């Protein structure tokens, strides 16, 4: 901490860097007296210091004001290429992002030195691209095969990230409902004025740029009447199309009733303006019978000029005459030099006419015939109007691949066509860094940090064509030569992760000390009996999904058959798959309610996938369908109505309780909502489910769950320190409180309406909480936040996939020493960044004082020596 008064600088800082800077830069002109530094410099010293720091601050400010350098450079280069006669790219490859497994839907990245593309953008796509260094800011176009949440679940987050990165335009190609989707996400994203979203539906002419030409091929199916009555299943060809599930489907009348009922809760202005961003749709435009395939053909590439052969033929290399000769030969024209005719084949490699690749989705049996009979796609079969496709990417479930009709269609492409299969039978681990951290944490406490799990794959169809199953980062190179490349496929070796942790200085020693302490601590041993409630942290990061911490989601298992989810950020279902493995359907079937604290994207955009996958889980478990009780801000219904009306049926999956109706003293006017609240308490065996307004954005809430057995769990959502939360959480058994920022960043925390670690702990102490779990950390603390003096035996730090029970309260603080040993390097880096920040703040404070003195025209006077405290 430092205070500046006139010419006196009072120092009381633990920052070594700050003290070193004082001694190096100010000691020549100061006299040190106890804790006080009195500036005795002449005017020249003041002016020099002021000018130097002013120039530095101006440079720093200019750096902050600029957009990311790389983004601007690639956009500028792209514009320059438009005015130049370009040949096709020399390097092009197709790369798997999401292999289609249940936790990561199918997505494809296409690279050339000129352009980048993405095919489908389901939940978790942005997280994978960030982890594996696939630069989203370079994307020229995002192609979507179908208006399904499995394909567009990560698109809203991707658009917001591109906007924040400074990308001026994002092009979306595919179903015409994409325009409505972009309109709908503005309910929670706000206006997208900083980025232009250009939607190119399949009805528009073909897309072309420096790399390739893309033709959108619409494929329409005649859906069976029984399937029109329900929302499409999240997995193509999944068990939700079984006779049992069809018999339990809800009618269109019930969906309309829910839509109209929710519209009563939306204000009149929104109802009167259905076409405004977020307005409630009056006419449904969703079309589950449409998929869009993409036929992509690379531009031709001229042959390469062979200098050695040209030299042998005596061509005038190194002179001005060689330019026109090379141009003519590369254009395929013969030239005559010194009376001798030289053919292109003598000095140039053959031209590449440009291979084609196809991306096709066949989501269910209804689409088999439309796909197999499509004339545009069949042009690329052997003997068709075009050369056979070099690659066909099939986003197709195993049940479709096993049909004779689809197999026969694949075989007609011929032996030279490679086939890439992306579906749930993919056997690959996508999130390597998360898997690594969880494996290492498991060494500290196997119960609190359970080992990561995966959904097992079933038997794969036998295909009689050249085919490869998708793996994360698997490449197929289209230029300069056709070949599969596995060098980028990440390895997930748990033994190597364990070896790396055990070699860290002091780690094994701290782990052993921790285990011995836990084995002899009576408070730990006494709490082992109660298995429930159980808290599972599925996402403990903030803002956007990152490789180690996913965004906000906490599962509260109240009993073996009762659970509620507190917030549901993007990728929550994928996190559940990685936590529960093959038991995921059982866990989803037990989910009765979801609480959404506020409408920021990192807290609710995983909801739709969760609802769709829950329906599938109930079908697979043979259990009757019941809607989830959704407790959320009223504004979420505007978003859900929009998505339901234009994209995919979803309203039949929820019974909605406006979160304000659970605040203290709230009047509940509608009988239906009263019934939902009674059902909420009964299903979860709760005495109370209460909410309160907190200090974050508009319509942000915290919640408190009081069980009939007496325990009380409080969830803060996102908030600054808040008196209403203290009152709501009085005498809580467990407080789960956000701690977005570290101590010393109170100003930024106030600006962003978040809490620091000490502020969160302070709230817990003030409400007399038995234990406090900190979560929702800024992604700058990817592995672990900074500790401070306020951490005590009542405070713990949440990690993704951490599982705690009340009996673990005594054990959690004892995990801190091995955690510090595991993340010692990261803690040291964060301490270094903190010291640099304190140093920068000190310089800026001195600059303010010196600048103020110069502007006032005051002269530096020898100060009167003072001591601290006078």
């Amino acid at each position: 901490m430092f205070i500046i008064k006139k010419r006196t600088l009072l120092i009381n800082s633990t920052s070594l860097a700050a003290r070193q800077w004082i001694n190096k830069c100010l000691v020549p002109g100061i006299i040190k007296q106890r804790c006080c530094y009195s500036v005795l410099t002449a005017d020249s010293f003041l002016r020099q210091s002021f000018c130097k720091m002013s120039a530095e601050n101006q440079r720093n400010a200019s750096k902050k004001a600029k957009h990311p350098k790389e983004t601007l450079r690639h956009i500028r280069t792209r514009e320059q290429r438009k005015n130049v006669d370009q040949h096709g790219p020399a390097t092009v490859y197709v790369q798997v992002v999401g292999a289609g497994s249940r936790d990561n839907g199918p997505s494809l990245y296409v690279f050339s030195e000129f352009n980048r593309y993405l095919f489908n953008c389901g939940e978790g796509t942005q997280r994978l691209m960030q982890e594996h260094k696939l630069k989203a800011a370079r994307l020229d176009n995002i192609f979507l095969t179908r208006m399904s949440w499995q394909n567009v679940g990560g698109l809203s987050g991707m658009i917001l990230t591109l906007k924040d990165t400074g990308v001026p335009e994002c092009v979306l190609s595919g179903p015409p409902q994409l325009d409505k989707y972009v309109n709908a996400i503005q309910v929670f994203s706000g206006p997208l004025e900083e980025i232009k979203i250009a939607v190119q539906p399949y009805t528009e002419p073909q897309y072309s740029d420096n790399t390739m030409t893309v033709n959108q091929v619409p494929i329409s199916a005649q859906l069976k009447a029984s399937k029109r009555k329900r929302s499409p299943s999240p997995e193509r060809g999944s068990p939700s199309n079984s006779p049992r599930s069809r018999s339990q489907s809800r009618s269109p009348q019930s969906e309309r009733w829910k839509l109209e009922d929710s519209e009563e809760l939306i204000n009149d202005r929104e109802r009167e303006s259905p076409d405004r961003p977020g307005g409630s749709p009056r006419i449904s435009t969703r079309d589950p019978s449409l998929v869009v395939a993409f036929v992509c053909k690379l531009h031709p590439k001229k042959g390469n000029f062979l200098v050695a052969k040209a030299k042998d033929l005596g061509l005038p290399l190194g002179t001005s005459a060689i330019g026109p000769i090379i141009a003519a030969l590369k254009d395929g024209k013969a030239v005559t030099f010194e009376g001798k005719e030289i053919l292109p084949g003598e000095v140039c490699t053959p031209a590449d006419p440009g291979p084609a690749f196809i991306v096709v989705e066949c989501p269910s049996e209804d689409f088999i015939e439309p796909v197999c009979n499509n004339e545009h796609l069949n042009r690329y079969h052997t003997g068709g109007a075009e050369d056979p496709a070099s690659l066909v990417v099939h986003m197709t479930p195993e049940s479709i691949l096993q049909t004779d009709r689809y197999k026969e269609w694949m075989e007609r492409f011929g032996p030279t066509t490679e086939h890439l299969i992306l579906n749930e039978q993919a056997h690959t681990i996508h999130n390597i860094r998360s898997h690594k951290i969880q494996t290492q944490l498991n060494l500290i406490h196997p119960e609190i940090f359970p080992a990561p799990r995966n959904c097992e794959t079933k038997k794969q169809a036998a295909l009689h064509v050249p085919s490869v199953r998708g793996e994360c980062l698997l490449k197929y190179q289209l230029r300069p030569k056709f070949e599969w490349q596995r060098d980028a496929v990440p390895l997930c070796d748990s033994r190597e992760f364990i070896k790396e942790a055990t070699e860290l200085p002091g780690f094994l020693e701290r782990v052993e000390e921790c285990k011995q302490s836990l084995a002899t601590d009576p408070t730990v041993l006494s709490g082992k009996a109660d298995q429930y409630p159980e808290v599972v942290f599925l996402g403990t990061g903030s803002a956007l999904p990152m490789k180690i911490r996913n965004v906000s989601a906490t599962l509260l298992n109240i009993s073996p058959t009762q659970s509620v989810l507190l917030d549901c950020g993007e990728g929550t279902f994928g996190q559940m798959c990685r936590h529960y493995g093959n038991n995921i359907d059982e866990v989803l079937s037990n989910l009765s309610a979801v609480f959404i604290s506020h409408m920021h994207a990192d807290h609710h955009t995983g909801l739709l996938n969760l609802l769709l996958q829950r329906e599938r889980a109930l079908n697979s478990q043979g259990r009757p369908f019941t809607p989830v009780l959704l407790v959320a801000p009223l504004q979420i219904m505007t978003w859900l109505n929009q998505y339901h009306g234009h994209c995919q049926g979803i309203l039949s999956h929820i019974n909605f309780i406006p979160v304000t109706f659970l605040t203290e003293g709230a009047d509940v006017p509608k009988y239906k909502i009263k019934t939902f609240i009674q059902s909420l308490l009964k299903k979860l065996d709760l005495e109370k489910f209460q909410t309160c307004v907190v200090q974050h954005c508009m319509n942000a809430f915290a919640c408190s769950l009081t069980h009939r057995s007496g325990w009380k769990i409080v969830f803060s959502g996102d908030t600054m320190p808040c008196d209403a939360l203290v009152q709501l959480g009085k005498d809580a058994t467990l407080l789960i409180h956000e701690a977005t920022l570290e101590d010393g960043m109170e100003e930024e925390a106030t600006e962003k309406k978040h809490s620091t670690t000490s502020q969160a702990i302070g709230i817990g102490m003030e409400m007399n909480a038995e234990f406090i779990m900190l979560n929702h950390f800024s992604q700058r603390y990817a592995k672990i936040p900074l500790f401070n003096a306020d951490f005590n035996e009542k405070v713990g730090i949440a990690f993704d996939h951490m599982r705690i029970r009340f009996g673990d309260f005594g054990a959690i603080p004892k995990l801190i020493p091995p955690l510090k040993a595991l993340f010692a390097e990261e803690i040291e880096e964060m301490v270094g960044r903190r010291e640099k920040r304190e140093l920068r703040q000190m310089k800026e404070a001195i600059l303010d004082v010196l600048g103020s003195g110069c502007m006032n025209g005051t002269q530096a006077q020898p100060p009167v020596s003072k001591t601290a405290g006078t």
Side-chain angles (χ1 to χ4, degrees):
M1 180 180 180
F2 52 88
I3 307 169
I4 296 188
K5 297 182 179 179
K6 298 291 183 182
R7 301 282 179 243
T8 303
L9 176 64
L10 301 178
I11 302 293
N12 180 18
S13 173
T14 59
S15 169
L16 176 62
R19 292 198 298 270
Q20 289 174 339
W21 182 79
I22 289 293
N23 292 330
K24 179 180 178 181
C25 300
L26 295 184
V27 163
I30 62 177
I31 293 178
K32 180 178 179 182
Q33 296 183 353
R34 297 185 186 178
C35 296
C36 177
Y37 286 81
S38 298
V39 180
L40 299 178
T41 55
D43 286 343
S44 60
F45 175 80
L46 292 174
R47 286 194 295 269
Q48 290 173 5
S49 301
F50 174 74
C51 293
K52 181 178 180 180
M53 288 186 289
S54 178
E56 182 179 343
N57 276 12
Q58 289 175 0
R59 286 195 299 271
N60 291 336
S62 65
K63 288 180 182 178
K64 292 179 181 179
K66 291 181 179 178
H67 288 303
K69 183 177 180 181
E70 185 177 13
T71 301
L72 296 179
R73 184 172 66 245
H74 93 266
I75 292 171
R76 184 169 59 250
T77 303
R78 185 194 307 161
E79 292 299 318
Q80 292 172 349
R81 284 200 302 268
K82 289 182 179 180
N83 302 319
V84 179
D85 182 22
Q86 290 282 341
H87 54 77
T91 303
V92 183
Y93 59 78
V94 172
Q95 186 168 29
V96 176
V97 182
S101 57
R102 198 168 180 193
D103 64 321
N104 281 104
S107 55
L108 203 68
Y109 180 73
V110 179
F111 170 94
S112 84
E113 65 262 40
F114 299 151
N115 305 95
R116 315 284 193 276
Y117 316 92
L118 184 66
F119 288 82
N120 285 345
C121 187
E123 284 189 38
T125 302
Q126 181 181 190
R127 186 183 188 191
L128 288 177
M129 293 184 71
Q130 186 270 339
E131 174 171 354
H132 299 300
K133 296 179 173 56
L134 305 177
K135 297 178 181 177
R138 299 294 301 271
L139 291 174
D140 294 273
N141 203 324
I142 301 176
F143 300 96
L144 289 311
T145 57
R146 184 165 62 108
M147 204 62 234
S148 161
W149 191 257
Q150 179 161 347
N151 296 344
V152 302
L155 188 56
S156 61
M158 182 71 76
I159 289 173
L160 292 174
T161 298
L162 294 177
K163 176 176 74 73
D164 294 340
T165 308
V167 175
E169 182 178 14
C170 177
V171 181
L172 308 178
S173 300
Q177 292 83 6
L178 282 171
D179 197 24
K180 300 293 186 182
Y181 172 87
V182 172
N183 192 47
I185 66 173
Q186 294 180 61
V187 172
F188 55 86
S189 71
L192 299 172
E193 297 171 350
E194 297 91 341
I195 182 171
K196 178 184 176 183
I197 307 296
V199 175
Q200 295 187 338
Y202 70 86
T203 53
E204 291 193 7
Q206 63 186 16
Y207 170 85
S208 185
D209 56 22
N210 294 107
T211 297
M212 63 185 183
T213 298
V214 181
N215 285 290
Q216 302 188 59
V217 182
I219 300 172
S220 296
Q222 294 293 323
L223 300 185
K224 294 181 176 62
S226 60
K227 294 181 185 178
R228 286 184 178 275
K229 294 181 180 180
R230 61 185 298 110
S231 60
S233 168
E235 160 65 4
R236 307 153 304 274
S238 73
S240 64
N241 289 331
S242 65
R244 176 184 179 89
S245 69
R246 289 197 295 272
S247 68
Q248 295 167 351
S249 61
R250 278 75 64 203
S251 67
Q253 287 77 15
S254 68
E255 290 193 349
R256 279 201 301 271
W257 174 82
K258 282 183 172 292
L259 177 62
E260 293 165 359
D261 185 66
S262 64
E263 281 184 338
E264 292 178 16
L265 302 171
I266 307 298
N267 64 57
D268 292 337
R269 182 179 178 185
E270 287 183 332
R271 292 206 310 270
E272 292 168 359
S273 307
D275 295 328
R276 67 187 291 273
S280 303
R282 288 299 184 181
I283 301 175
S284 174
T285 61
R286 70 175 188 259
D287 184 6
S289 67
L290 172 71
V291 299
V292 179
F294 298 95
V295 177
C296 310
K297 185 171 176 57
L298 303 190
H299 295 319
K301 182 182 180 298
K302 298 176 181 180
N304 295 324
F305 184 71
L306 303 175
V307 176
K309 290 190 176 183
K311 186 176 181 180
D312 292 341
L313 293 173
L315 292 180
L317 298 175
T319 69
S320 59
I322 192 63
I325 295 175
I326 293 176
L329 290 169
K330 293 183 73 172
D331 283 337
K333 302 174 183 176
V335 299
T336 301
F337 179 71
E338 295 182 348
K340 180 181 179 181
E341 184 181 39
I342 299 175
L343 301 176
E346 296 181 79
V347 290
C348 292
T349 60
D352 181 352
F357 68 93
I358 297 172
V359 179
V360 62
E361 179 180 11
C362 186
S364 69
E365 292 180 1
D366 296 329
F367 287 87
I368 293 178
E369 288 302 324
V371 168
C372 295
N373 293 328
N374 187 273
E375 294 182 1
H376 197 125
L377 299 181
N378 291 344
R379 291 165 59 91
Y380 294 87
H381 280 156
T382 300
E386 305 285 347
D387 291 336
S390 300
L391 174 70
V392 181
V393 181
H394 301 266
M395 298 178 178
T396 302
E398 208 66 22
S399 60
I400 306 301
L401 293 175
Q402 291 171 347
T403 63
D404 292 338
R405 180 73 174 103
Y406 200 85
K407 286 182 179 179
E408 184 269 336
W409 180 72
M410 294 176 67
E411 292 168 4
R412 284 163 54 195
F413 282 97
T416 61
T417 300
E418 294 284 342
H419 297 264
L420 173 61
I421 312 299
L422 304 180
N423 65 18
E424 285 191 5
Q425 301 313 308
H427 183 69
T428 183
I429 296 176
H430 295 82
N431 302 93
I432 305 299
R433 295 298 298 276
S434 173
H435 196 100
K436 174 182 176 179
I437 292 294
Q438 192 65 19
T439 301
Q440 295 175 337
L441 290 172
N442 180 254
L443 299 173
I444 298 175
H445 199 298
E447 293 182 9
I448 292 177
F449 301 114
R453 302 171 70 180
N454 298 293
C455 297
E456 295 179 2
T457 58
K458 299 178 183 179
K459 185 178 179 181
Q460 297 177 347
L463 303 175
H464 305 293
V465 294
S467 62
V468 173
R469 297 285 172 161
E471 296 180 77
C472 184
L473 300 192
L474 174 69
K475 293 180 184 178
Y476 183 70
Q477 184 175 264
L478 296 161
R479 273 190 187 149
K481 63 179 180 179
F482 300 126
E483 66 176 4
W484 292 101
Q485 297 178 340
R486 299 181 50 82
D487 55 296
V489 175
L491 297 177
C492 189
D493 188 345
S494 296
R495 291 173 298 182
E496 185 63 30
F497 300 156
I498 293 172
K499 180 176 180 290
E500 181 181 324
T502 57
E503 292 176 351
L504 293 172
F507 175 69
L508 289 179
E509 291 82 353
R510 301 293 86 75
V511 170
E512 186 59 32
E513 292 169 2
C514 176
K515 289 181 178 179
Q516 292 177 2
S517 176
L518 294 177
T520 58
D521 191 328
T523 61
V524 174
L525 298 174
S526 64
K528 288 298 181 184
D530 296 330
Q531 296 298 306
Y532 293 94
E534 176 188 73
V535 179
V536 179
F537 293 97
L538 299 170
T540 57
S542 66
L544 72 164
M546 299 293 274
K547 55 191 174 185
I548 293 175
R549 292 186 185 269
N550 202 54
V551 286
S552 185
T554 304
L555 182 66
L556 173 57
N557 293 315
I558 294 174
S559 76
T561 59
Q562 301 166 307
S563 65
V564 58
L565 186 65
L566 308 176
D567 275 340
C568 188
E570 179 188 335
T572 295
F573 172 72
Q575 292 286 90
M576 294 179 75
C577 288
R578 292 182 279 275
H579 189 88
Y580 289 104
N582 289 335
N583 296 327
I584 179 62
D585 284 343
E586 180 182 352
V587 174
L588 281 177
S589 299
N590 293 335
L591 184 66
S592 301
V594 177
F595 169 77
I596 301 297
S597 62
H598 62 290
M599 286 299 292
H600 284 167
D602 57 323
H603 290 259
H604 76 86
T605 51
L607 175 64
L608 298 187
N609 196 31
L610 189 83
L611 296 176
L612 295 167
Q613 292 285 352
R614 177 179 175 272
E615 178 186 30
R616 171 183 171 178
L618 289 169
N619 288 326
S620 70
Q621 296 283 303
R623 294 169 62 172
F625 177 86
T626 55
V628 161
L629 290 158
L630 175 62
V631 181
L634 182 60
Q635 292 71 23
I636 200 170
M637 288 308 301
T638 311
W639 151 243
L640 294 179
N641 283 336
Q642 282 281 321
Y643 187 83
H644 174 90
H646 298 304
C647 304
Q648 187 177 10
I650 200 70
L651 291 180
S652 57
H653 291 259
I654 62 169
N655 285 333
F656 179 58
I657 302 174
V659 68
T660 52
F661 289 170
L662 295 174
T663 57
E664 183 71 27
D667 180 34
V668 184
K670 294 180 68 66
Y671 173 77
K672 192 180 301 178
I673 294 177
K674 289 180 180 178
T675 304
F676 292 162
I677 294 174
Q678 292 170 0
S679 177
L680 175 70
L681 298 177
K682 182 179 179 180
K683 285 186 175 182
L684 298 178
D685 203 22
L686 297 177
E687 181 181 321
K688 293 180 182 179
F689 191 123
Q690 292 179 297
T691 63
C692 74
V693 176
V694 292
Q695 298 178 26
H696 186 53
C697 61
M698 288 184 63
N699 303 301
F701 293 83
C703 71
S704 168
L705 289 77
T706 305
H707 196 257
R708 289 176 183 173
S709 64
W711 57 257
K712 180 177 180 179
I713 293 179
V714 179
F715 175 67
S716 72
D718 284 9
T719 183
M720 299 168 58
C722 178
D723 292 337
L725 179 60
V726 173
Q727 296 304 314
L728 180 74
K730 278 293 183 185
D731 301 319
T733 312
L734 173 65
L735 168 65
I736 302 170
H737 199 292
E738 72 117 293
T740 308
L741 296 165
E742 65 186 270
D743 290 352
M745 302 189 71
E746 287 78 10
E747 184 176 342
E748 183 175 340
T750 300
E751 179 185 344
K752 296 182 177 180
K753 297 187 177 180
H754 285 297
S755 298
T756 64
T757 50
S758 288
Q759 289 173 341
I761 294 170
I763 290 295
M765 296 299 180
E766 195 174 345
M767 71 169 58
N768 193 35
E770 183 179 335
F771 201 79
I772 306 160
M773 285 298 296
L774 305 179
N775 80 337
H776 194 268
F777 301 108
S778 166
Q779 298 292 3
R780 71 188 75 187
Y781 317 114
K783 293 183 179 178
I784 194 169
L786 278 174
F787 298 90
N788 59 50
D790 290 325
F791 278 77
N792 55 46
E793 70 281 354
K794 297 177 64 175
V795 181
I797 298 169
F799 291 83
D800 283 19
H801 303 292
M802 187 178 186
R803 179 182 64 197
I804 67 167
R805 305 177 177 96
F806 291 166
D808 296 320
F809 290 171
I812 293 172
K814 298 181 183 296
L815 306 179
I816 289 182
L819 287 173
K820 285 184 175 180
L822 180 61
F823 301 117
E825 183 178 343
E826 288 75 17
I827 292 173
E828 183 179 356
E829 290 177 0
M830 289 189 292
V831 170
R833 290 199 299 268
R834 181 179 63 187
E835 291 182 345
K836 289 181 180 179
R837 184 179 67 251
E838 290 176 353
L839 181 59
R840 184 178 67 251
Q841 291 172 343
M842 185 176 297
K843 290 180 179 180
E844 291 172 351
I846 294 173
L847 174 65
D848 290 340
V849 173
L850 297 178
S852 176
C854 291
M855 286 187 291
N856 293 333
T858 58
Q859 299 293 319
Q861 301 294 331
V864 178
S865 297
K866 297 181 181 180
T867 59
T870 61

